[in-house]
Amino acid sequence: MPSATGSAPGRLPFVVWVLAVGTFLMGTTEFVIAGLLPEMAADLNASVSHAGLLITAFAVGMIVGGPTMAMATLRLPQRHTLIGALAVFALGHAVAALSASFTVVLTARVVTALATGAFWAVGFVIATTTAGPASATRAVGAMMGGLTLANVIGVPIGSFVGQYTGWRGPFWALAALAALAAAFVGRFIPRTEQRAEVSMRAEVRALKQGRLWLALGAAVLIMGGVLATYTYITPLLTDRAGIPAGAVPLVLIAFGIGALGGTAIGGRLGDRRPMVTTITAAAATSLILLALIPASNSPVAAMVLVFGMAAAGFTVNPVVTSLAVRFADDAPTLTSALTTSGYNTGIAAGSLIAGRALDSSLGLTGPPLVGAVFAALTLLPLIALALSGTCHCTRIVAQRTTADPVRDDASTPAHH
């Protein structure tokens, strides 16, 4: 029987699945706005493009909050950081649900994002530590699977419930579930303290590697491409494809299934063929988004392409996250936070530029065009990494806690 931090051979540690529960909630809150955007805009007296700032603001909060909170909590027990992050997450949703002010809701989204950034930064380190070098990409894929599962279950349910209760209903549900998750994490995450040698200087020193910034650049661009389109997917589906508003959650489910499948593919293939996997997936994402522009007049074609966009785009995520943590060597906390910031930089930039494109003469075809350009640009840092021969000499050395035994294979290079 595996313990919280151990597992049977070939299986991921149970603690990784505990962390996936937290990322499920946080993924739901980040993306559920896409399904509630028209309702929130009307209730808060804002245009749809202006209401899209609620997604941008969350992304900006994670860009700043991830690294900041990672450093602020560097010497705190990881368990306390996770519980505190979930508590703030719950409070932020309650405040938003109680307010009728767009400014207050926007501020609550930023505060909630700070907590999310802290949770993900620490969570990725725990996941790679407990899984060990041979399964680190799988562990990251599983944890990010909670994020993508949010798109399969959380976002469509939130969108569906929001049509009957108003957008505040899903916010109250997320607040309650986050409070429950805090108790759950407190029960299953081991009571360990950070090792004394953890230092801010080592964390900052790890940022000097050029290949780390190439991996982060890929994270920014691929997520920017997918989310530029996804942020404004509801008006594209209803006004251009002619899909009834009540059927939009079904398309969001298709997106979520694609994202979950892509994350699983990336997690499985990323340890063996990281660069072939990511380059192929990024190229496919760009082509699919280009195809969405003329094909979005058809409800069936739009649904199929939204699924394909998610499957291809999310294949890249676990691989570049795992590479970034490897490049950080034995100081991965700040790098893990910066990876999360990288994704959210892409979300913020993609959704912001897509909003401008939506208001331009391009109209509803603007967001997928912006997304296609972002996805194509992802090929540049990925090809640079491939040409550098990066993946033949890297290793995963994750930060350990005092409760973690020293593994004999931790110092053995993982050849791909």
Side-chain angles (χ1 to χ4, degrees), residues 10-12 16-17 134-143 267-268 271:
R11 295 183 180 179
L12 291 175
V16 174
W17 303 109
S135 300
T137 301
R138 282 182 59 213
V140 171
M143 186 176 165
R268 286 288 179 180
D271 284 316

Side-chain angles (χ1 to χ4, degrees), residues 8-386:
R11 295 183 180 179
L12 291 175
F14 178 67
V15 77
V16 174
W17 303 109
V18 174
L19 293 168
V21 173
T23 57
F24 169 80
L25 291 177
M26 294 175 176
T28 298
T29 198
E30 181 159 16
F31 301 127
V32 75
I33 299 296
L36 302 173
L37 207 58
E39 292 84 357
M40 294 189 74
D43 189 49
L44 298 173
N45 296 315
S47 66
V48 172
S49 60
H50 190 62
L53 291 175
L54 293 171
I55 294 177
T56 305
F58 191 94
V60 170
M62 287 193 66
I63 293 167
V64 176
T68 302
M69 298 304 294
M71 292 294 94
T73 61
L74 189 61
R75 291 186 177 274
L76 294 179
Q78 293 171 328
R79 177 173 169 274
H80 291 178
T81 300
L82 296 179
I83 293 172
L86 285 166
V88 173
F89 181 92
L91 181 61
H93 281 81
V95 169
L98 288 169
S99 177
S101 166
F102 182 85
T103 301
V104 171
V105 174
L106 192 70
T107 302
R109 291 281 290 173
V110 173
V111 172
T112 303
L114 297 179
T116 301
F119 185 95
W120 282 12
V122 174
F124 279 136
V125 173
I126 295 175
T128 53
T129 298
T130 55
S135 300
T137 301
R138 282 182 59 213
V140 171
M143 186 176 165
M144 295 184 74
L147 171 64
T148 51
L149 189 62
N151 288 294
V152 180
I153 300 175
V155 171
I157 290 178
S159 178
F160 180 78
V161 170
Q163 291 179 15
Y164 291 92
T165 66
W167 65 270
R168 300 175 197 278
F171 271 61
W172 279 118
L174 284 166
L177 290 171
L180 183 61
F184 193 75
V185 166
R187 168 67 177 83
F188 290 103
I189 298 293
R191 297 174 180 269
T192 55
E193 300 293 329
Q194 293 288 75
R195 289 174 65 97
E197 63 263 31
V198 174
S199 73
M200 189 176 297
R201 181 176 298 177
E203 296 285 343
V204 174
R205 189 165 54 241
L207 303 182
K208 294 181 179 180
Q209 298 191 59
R211 57 186 182 171
L212 167 62
W213 292 102
L214 289 173
L216 291 175
V220 170
L221 292 166
I222 193 62
M223 191 55 69
V226 174
L227 267 295
T229 306
Y230 186 71
T231 298
Y232 299 101
I233 198 67
T234 298
L236 180 73
L237 295 173
T238 56
D239 298 346
R240 185 170 170 83
I243 295 175
V248 168
L250 296 177
V251 184
L252 299 184
I253 290 174
F255 177 90
I257 292 173
L260 187 63
T263 301
I265 292 169
R268 286 288 179 180
L269 300 181
D271 284 316
R272 297 193 298 273
R273 297 181 178 274
M275 302 321 302
V276 171
T277 300
T278 51
I279 289 172
T280 302
T285 304
S286 183
L287 292 175
I288 290 168
L289 287 168
L290 281 175
L292 184 61
I293 296 172
S296 57
N297 281 320
S298 164
V300 174
M303 187 169 183
V304 170
L305 291 172
V306 167
F307 168 84
M309 168 186 75
F314 276 77
T315 295
V316 179
N317 296 353
V319 186
V320 294
T321 299
S322 181
L323 286 175
V325 173
R326 297 180 200 188
F327 300 153
D329 199 49
D330 58 351
T333 303
L334 181 57
T335 298
S336 176
L338 285 173
T339 304
T340 302
S341 293
Y343 288 126
N344 284 278
T345 299
I347 293 172
S351 61
L352 184 63
I353 296 172
R356 298 291 179 86
L358 181 67
D359 289 336
S360 74
S361 59
L362 293 170
L364 293 170
T365 63
L369 178 60
V370 171
V373 172
F374 267 71
L377 290 174
T378 307
L379 293 171
L380 298 179
L382 291 177
I383 291 172
L385 276 174

